[in-house]
């Protein structure tokens, strides 16, 4: 089969690799499924190794978001069967351990990662490819009832593997509820998803911090009531002024840099809450004295999307939510290099890949 | 009148000072009350300047917790009158600004501090003295209906000025709810108050981290179901083992050191929450990557006790809550030096002062 491989900084190749095989792991149990990928995509976090900011061992299989059709299942898989259309979260999880039972499948005690290793040390495919071996198929995969969905739904279903539910996690972590005032730091696909999630949760006023016209337009379509193009002290002053001189209740930090976290922490009103989902890129550490004096809380992290998908899927299927609008460019698998370049150069908000 | 003065490291004196006078501030408005102190106390945070860890300009009036009887009020005070028995929070607040309306009176836009300055730059008395000028009397003081309460209630009423409601804030900030599993880091008066607050909020299991027998006893009386004397990695391992191998839902950080915050962050289960009220003593900064990977949230800070007192006061008055048990030593005002020494040397959990 063909799959995308990161061979070095800004060097994305699509190569022939061995087809994945069902494995038997952990006490001779067959927990795997093989899924044929219908759609995958490029994540903002894929750009860190692509740019060489983080330096993984290369060549490396890459991609962690997909929807697809189950081709095979191992002997002990009971909830997933060949022919099922499935959404895969950006990690695999058993669905049964103490952390999975608590709603934090991202901390599954048997978790593994796409393009890395499973819990038992076996290689796992990246999701940007034709086929993927899925460990813990029963715990990991969400079956969309009714088989292959309408083509128009594919982009939005794909966002339930990561990006939209990561934005949702930012909003949940920031405590957004009906009537909340919200600012969103970051106008990438996750930040825009955060706008949509905040709207869905009933926020009364949502400020998108964005200086890019196409992203401002999508933010507005997703429910942003205000746009603030300024950053840093100017952006904070603009927000304070909009909200009684003290700032909004909730701030969604959807970037992961020192500057964006600083902006988020200083924007929230006293007693407010920062929900953060931007992968912290080597820091910064959080200023605990500032948090102490302002009572601004910080919560978030790697989004437990598998725990959210049951609640959000029906709204995507009935068309009331259209998070797939974050995809503004579509590529074939063979065009993966261009899919990365388009996002890297900010020509695309998010690139969809169709193997 | 006589008042306690910090004259230098470990140098507490009681001296004659001028009686406070009602002031007219901010647009010629008289917002003050003069309160005769019935009981005050020494806070763990008073020990930082006492020990010279923080170095305020000395001599300095000190103390920020009191209950007392109103002697005089200024012209524009409407909710408080001479003869009222009142509880003062450890800060003054207007009760009307955007932050006060949000339930974060600690961030009042006109706040001042006891023993420091009010919003208009006038000196304010410390609470360890015979009389105190209270700015924003209407917003700051909580009137206990019925005048002077029974002597037996004085210690518990005094805890509503800071210590018990600071423990309560730790529990609220950590998200404690019915059925929660909780660990409390710190066995000082605030930590013990956190145990009592967690019990009141319905926690199912409460672990007090303590190696001092008298404090273990009080923790148990307050509702702790388990005692863990170990600290650091050993303490964390003990907690993990007690809770499914992953740790408790909520951890109350009631110390404020690098070690205690580290212990709290590493003890909570994935997706759990740290509520912190220990005044951070110069750090540490919070490890955002750890928080990201575990989804452990951090929230807390200076406790908005004035916002909590309405809810908790009835339970103190009817005897169903007895947070005053944290006072295990009582001193006259003239014995203030000994009241400090007893806490500094851990001979007392918390010292009560009766002017």
């Amino acid at each position: 089969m063909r799959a995308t491989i990161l061979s070095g900084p800004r060097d994305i190749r699509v190569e022939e690799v061995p087809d994945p095989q069902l494995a038997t792991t952990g006490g001779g149990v067959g927990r795997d499924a093989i899924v044929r990928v219908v759609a995958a995509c490029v994540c903002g976090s894929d750009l860190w190794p692509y740019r060489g900011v983080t330096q993984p061992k290369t060549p490396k299989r890459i991609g962690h978001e997909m929807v697809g059709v189950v081709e095979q299942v191992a002997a002990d898989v009971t909830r997933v069967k060949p022919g099922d259309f499935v959404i895969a979260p950006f990690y695999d999880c058993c669905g049964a351990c103490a952390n999975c039972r608590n709603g934090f499948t991202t901390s599954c005690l048997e978790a593994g990662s796409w393009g890395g290793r499973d819990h038992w040390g076996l290689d796992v495919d990246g999701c940007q490819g034709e086929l993927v071996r899925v460990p813990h198929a029963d715990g990991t995969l969400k079956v969309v009832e009714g088989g292959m969905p309408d083509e128009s739904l594919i982009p939005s279903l794909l966002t339930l593997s990561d990006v939209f539910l990561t934005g949702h996690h930012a909003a949940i972590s920031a405590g957004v509820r009906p009537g909340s005032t919200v600012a969103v730091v970051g106008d990438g696909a996750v930040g825009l998803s955060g706008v949509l999630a905040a709207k869905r949760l009933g926020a009364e006023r949502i400020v998108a911090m964005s200086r890019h016209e196409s992203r401002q337009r999508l933010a507005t379509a997703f429910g942003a009531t205000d746009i603030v193009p300024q950053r840093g002290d100017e952006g904070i002053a603009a927000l304070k002024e909009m909200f009684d001189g003290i700032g909004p209740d909730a701030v969604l930090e959807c970037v992961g840099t020192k500057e964006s976290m600083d902006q988020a922490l200083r924007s929230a009103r006293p007693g407010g809450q920062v929900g953060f989902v931007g992968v912290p890129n080597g820091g910064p550490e959080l200023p605990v004295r500032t948090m102490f004096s302002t009572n601004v809380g910080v919560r978030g992290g790697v989004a437990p999307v598998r725990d959210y998908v049951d609640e959000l899927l029906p709204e995507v299927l009935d068309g009331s939510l259209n998070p797939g609008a974050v995809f503004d460019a579509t590529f074939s698998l063979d065009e993966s290099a261009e899919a990365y370049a388009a996002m890297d150069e900010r020509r695309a908000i998010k690139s969809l890949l169709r193997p």
Side-chain angles (χ1 to χ4, degrees), chain A residues 145-192:
Chain A
E145 297 300 333
M148 191 72 183
D150 189 82
E151 176 65 24
S152 66
L153 291 173
I154 298 290
S156 286
L157 291 171
L158 179 59
T159 68
L160 301 182
S161 74
D162 184 346
V163 60
F164 175 58
L165 296 184
T166 291
H168 177 68
H169 186 56
I172 291 286
S173 299
V176 175
R177 64 200 69 172
S180 292
T181 55
V182 179
V184 180
V185 178
D187 64 358
V190 172
L192 294 165

Side-chain angles (χ1 to χ4, degrees), chain A residues 31-56:
Chain A
R31 301 170 174 83
D32 290 354
I34 305 293
V35 172
R36 179 164 296 276
V37 177
V38 170
C41 52
V42 180
C43 181
S45 68
D46 290 332
L47 296 181
W48 297 119
Y50 175 79
R51 289 169 176 161
V53 177
T54 57
Q55 305 199 324

Side-chain angles (χ1 to χ4, degrees), chain A residues 59-243:
Chain A
K60 178 183 162 36
R61 299 279 288 278
I62 194 165
H64 54 257
E65 297 155 280
M66 66 161 176
V67 293
V69 175
V70 176
E71 289 216 333
Q72 301 175 59
V73 297
D76 302 292
V77 172
T78 60
R79 297 169 58 184
V80 175
K81 62 183 190 306
D84 282 346
F85 184 87
V86 291
I87 301 166
F90 62 86
Y91 52 89
D92 78 270
C93 53
C94 75
C97 72
N99 288 326
C100 285
R101 292 196 308 274
N102 275 333
F104 284 86
T105 50
T106 37
S107 292
C108 172
L109 299 174
E110 291 190 353
S113 61
W114 308 118
R117 298 283 171 85
D118 69 14
H119 176 67
W120 296 277
L122 300 181
D123 286 340
V124 181
D125 307 281
C127 293
Q128 295 163 8
E130 292 181 296
L131 294 167
V132 175
R133 178 176 75 87
V134 177
H136 298 115
D138 280 337
T140 302
L141 296 171
K142 171 66 183 175
V143 176
V144 179
E145 297 300 333
M148 191 72 183
D150 189 82
E151 176 65 24
S152 66
L153 291 173
I154 298 290
S156 286
L157 291 171
L158 179 59
T159 68
L160 301 182
S161 74
D162 184 346
V163 60
F164 175 58
L165 296 184
T166 291
H168 177 68
H169 186 56
I172 291 286
S173 299
V176 175
R177 64 200 69 172
S180 292
T181 55
V182 179
V184 180
V185 178
D187 64 358
V190 172
L192 294 165
S193 296
V195 169
L196 180 60
K199 172 75 177 172
R200 177 183 170 276
L201 290 167
E204 179 184 288
R205 202 163 166 193
I206 304 167
V207 184
M209 313 290 286
S210 172
R211 50 177 64 177
H212 298 86
E213 203 184 332
S214 63
R215 294 163 190 239
Q216 292 173 350
R217 270 199 306 273
L218 185 53
T220 302
F222 273 178
T225 53
D226 302 85
I227 303 287
V228 167
Q230 298 96 322
R231 293 185 188 172
D233 288 341
E234 268 187 79
I236 292 166
L239 279 176
K240 299 267 179 216
E241 194 184 327
M242 294 170 81
F243 298 106

